[in-house]
Structures are given as structure tokens and as C-alpha cells.
Amino acid sequence: MVYAYTTVDAATGTSDEVCEALTEVDGVVDAHVIAGDFDVMIELEGETPHDVLRTVTSSIRPLEGVGTTRTYICID
């Protein structure tokens, strides 16, 4: 199993809605609104790194209010 974290820059005023929508995406373990350079932090899992990246590109980025994303694959 592969685990990863993705940060999301959400459109102004949409952090809560984006976070709620993300919890419904297959492969998303958890999502939280955060303070800092990004607005939402997502914990993901998949069988392979490609599965995790497919979730980000196919299911997360197309969501309304989602802007820039950064994904960090866990190596331990």
C-alpha cells in the first residue's frame, strides 16, 4: 500500500466545500482545512504510486474550487 499527502490551493471562500467534497473521493483517507500556503491537506492511499497520482489528476483536480495541488508520496 502506498500513502501520500496532497495539498490543495482552494478558490477564495471554498475551503470547507472543497474539503467536504474530497472526503467522498475514492482513495482519500482524510481531508482537513489547514492554515498556511495551502488551504486543504489530503491523506491518500493506493496500491501503487500511479494509483495515487491517478486519483489526484482524475478525481481531485477536476473538482470545483480546486486550484494548484502538490503531492508528496511517503517513502517509509
Side-chain angles (χ1 to χ4, degrees):
M1 187 65 64
V2 174
Y3 299 96
Y5 293 92
T6 296
T7 56
V8 175
D9 186 17
T12 303
T14 65
S15 296
D16 289 330
E17 293 83 7
V18 167
C19 190
E20 187 173 324
L22 288 165
T23 62
E24 302 298 321
V25 172
D26 286 339
V28 172
V29 175
D30 210 353
H32 299 279
V33 175
I34 60 172
D37 292 334
F38 286 86
D39 302 305
V40 178
M41 174 77 75
I42 310 162
E43 182 180 354
L44 300 154
E45 67 180 11
E47 290 298 317
T48 67
H50 185 71
D51 292 336
V52 170
L53 296 176
R54 184 181 310 118
T55 298
V56 173
T57 58
S58 300
S59 301
I60 294 173
R61 286 186 184 157
L63 291 174
E64 183 73 28
V66 171
T68 302
T69 63
R70 299 239 194 262
T71 301
Y72 306 91
I73 303 287
C74 297
I75 57 172
D76 66 350

